[in-house]
Amino acid sequence: MTWTNYHNHCKYCDGVEEIETHVQQGIIEGVVSLGFSSHSPVSFENKWSMKEKDIPAYLKDIQAAGEKYFGQIEIYKSLEIDYFPQQSGVIKKWVDNLDLDYSIGSVHFVDAFEDGMPWEIDGPLMTFEKGLEEIFGNDIRKVLEKYFEYTVQMLEKDCPTILGHLDKIKMQNHHRLFFDENATWYQDLVKQALEVAAKSGVIAEVNTRGLYKKRASETYPGELGLRLLKKFGIPICLNSDAHQSKEIIGEYKNTAVLLKHLGFKELMVLKNNSWQAMPFDVNGIHW
Ligand SMILES: [Zn+2]
Ligand SMILES: [Zn+2]
């Protein structure tokens, strides 16, 4: 089996293991091209983002692993960068300043509480319910509209290489039903965001984390989004969003089965430092 994964967290953010541990496990699992994407530093205290002071060590560890395992696996450096409307150009800035190989742009925060603390939409149910009530007066549709508005703004103004977990907010629907994913208004939001994605040149990730963490019944994006990605001809890559090395190809095989069933023929991979589309089947990429 031959796989790639461009969405990995290690001890420098909210993962726990060394970069080298992920690399070694990747080699065991047949990963031939692996990218690290710690959560970029942000301006407020939280448990998951990288500390700015750790960036040199992070980059050095990635570089060292790339050299040590040269010929066995390709290693790339990146960040998963949070999009906030008030911080224009932050994705481009990180890429330029750190000479990253690629970027992942993700929306994890929508609006903010009264004290200015950004509201985390993919955290615990309690936090989600608090923001829903205090910031949005329990109007879930307004939340979804704003979430996808941020996604569209990011794609239009500060487009990353990879669009992180397009519809991750629907993981909250796994806790309790906040909205009907079959409602036309919701489907239109996903469609509108992907229409913009199609024009932006972004690669959409198919993120398997919700599945192996059992926080979702589908990948991010789910089948609705996947069908639209196919329809609009948006290139995709397969990522596990691993926070532990054992998650490195979590749910890849089942997801590859689904992707083949939906008519996808190629996955985007980084090979020799350039993005290219490669055919795949349920046993992996034809590297
Ligand atoms: Zn994320
Ligand atoms: Zn992530």
Side-chain angles (χ1 to χ4, degrees):
M1 289 205 289
T2 304
W3 297 109
T4 60
N5 184 0
Y6 302 105
H7 195 153
N8 291 280
H9 299 277
C10 59
K11 67 163 189 185
Y12 286 103
C13 55
D14 56 349
V16 286
E17 288 159 294
E18 300 287 343
I19 281 179
E20 189 170 355
T21 311
H22 283 257
V23 173
Q24 288 169 341
Q25 189 60 29
I27 292 169
I28 291 168
E29 309 253 24
V31 177
V32 288
S33 176
L34 181 70
F36 288 93
S37 57
S38 277
H39 290 287
S40 62
V42 291
S43 58
F44 53 94
E45 267 304 305
N46 67 61
K47 290 194 204 87
W48 52 90
S49 302
M50 246 184 114
K51 304 264 182 293
E52 196 147 4
K53 67 169 178 52
D54 290 337
I55 283 181
Y58 171 68
L59 297 176
K60 203 169 139 237
D61 281 5
I62 295 172
Q63 168 96 13
E67 287 166 9
K68 185 168 175 183
Y69 296 93
F70 181 80
Q72 295 183 69
I73 186 168
E74 296 187 15
I75 305 291
Y76 294 99
K77 59 178 187 296
S78 181
L79 288 174
E80 181 178 15
I81 304 165
D82 287 288
Y83 180 78
F84 298 97
Q86 61 276 28
Q87 288 181 24
S88 70
V90 69
I91 296 175
K92 189 178 180 320
K93 262 181 232 160
W94 281 118
V95 171
D96 290 351
N97 291 348
L98 305 183
D99 193 25
L100 300 178
D101 296 316
Y102 66 94
S103 56
I104 300 178
S106 297
V107 177
H108 300 113
F109 300 96
V110 173
D111 219 319
F113 290 103
E114 226 163 51
D115 64 1
M117 186 63 181
W119 176 39
E120 179 196 359
I121 54 80
D122 64 344
L125 178 63
M126 257 178 61
T127 311
F128 189 77
E129 287 180 323
K130 188 169 186 285
L132 174 62
E133 188 186 339
E134 290 179 18
I135 308 169
F136 288 90
N138 283 320
D139 189 338
I140 190 70
R141 184 165 167 174
K142 281 215 167 66
V143 173
L144 270 298
E145 284 169 357
K146 198 142 217 182
Y147 175 80
F148 283 104
E149 185 187 311
Y150 280 24
T151 305
V152 165
Q153 275 178 29
M154 175 174 76
L155 291 166
E156 286 179 337
K157 296 183 180 171
D158 195 13
C159 190
T161 318
I162 297 175
L163 172 59
H165 45 61
L166 170 80
D167 56 8
K168 194 176 184 195
I169 193 166
K170 76 185 176 60
M171 70 178 267
Q172 302 296 350
N173 255 0
H174 201 58
H175 299 303
R176 77 173 176 85
L177 193 63
F178 287 98
F179 62 99
D180 176 6
E181 290 167 34
N182 292 314
T184 310
W185 66 264
Y186 174 70
Q187 302 213 345
D188 284 347
L189 288 174
V190 177
K191 188 164 171 240
Q192 283 154 16
L194 288 180
E195 277 169 349
V196 176
K199 285 186 234 150
S200 72
V202 81
I203 297 166
E205 75 168 357
V206 179
N207 182 310
T208 61
R209 184 163 177 77
L211 285 175
Y212 64 77
K213 292 296 285 181
K214 308 218 176 334
R215 286 188 195 137
S217 55
E218 296 186 297
T219 49
Y220 311 122
E223 201 165 322
L224 163 71
L226 292 176
R227 286 183 189 280
L228 290 167
L229 288 171
K230 181 77 187 57
K231 183 175 167 194
F232 296 151
I234 298 169
I236 58 165
C237 64
L238 187 54
N239 286 337
S240 80
D241 202 347
H243 287 62
Q244 298 181 54
S245 61
K246 67 176 185 191
E247 298 167 346
I248 209 152
I249 55 162
E251 289 291 335
Y252 266 31
K253 196 172 170 106
N254 289 335
T255 303
V257 171
L258 174 67
L259 292 175
K260 290 301 277 187
H261 172 73
L262 294 175
F264 288 95
K265 294 191 168 60
E266 292 173 326
L267 294 172
M268 294 302 289
V269 303
L270 251 181
K271 188 173 187 180
N272 298 326
N273 213 11
S274 93
W275 285 103
Q276 40 198 298
M278 281 201 169
F280 74 102
D281 61 39
V282 299
N283 291 312
I285 292 160
H286 303 173
W287 186 254

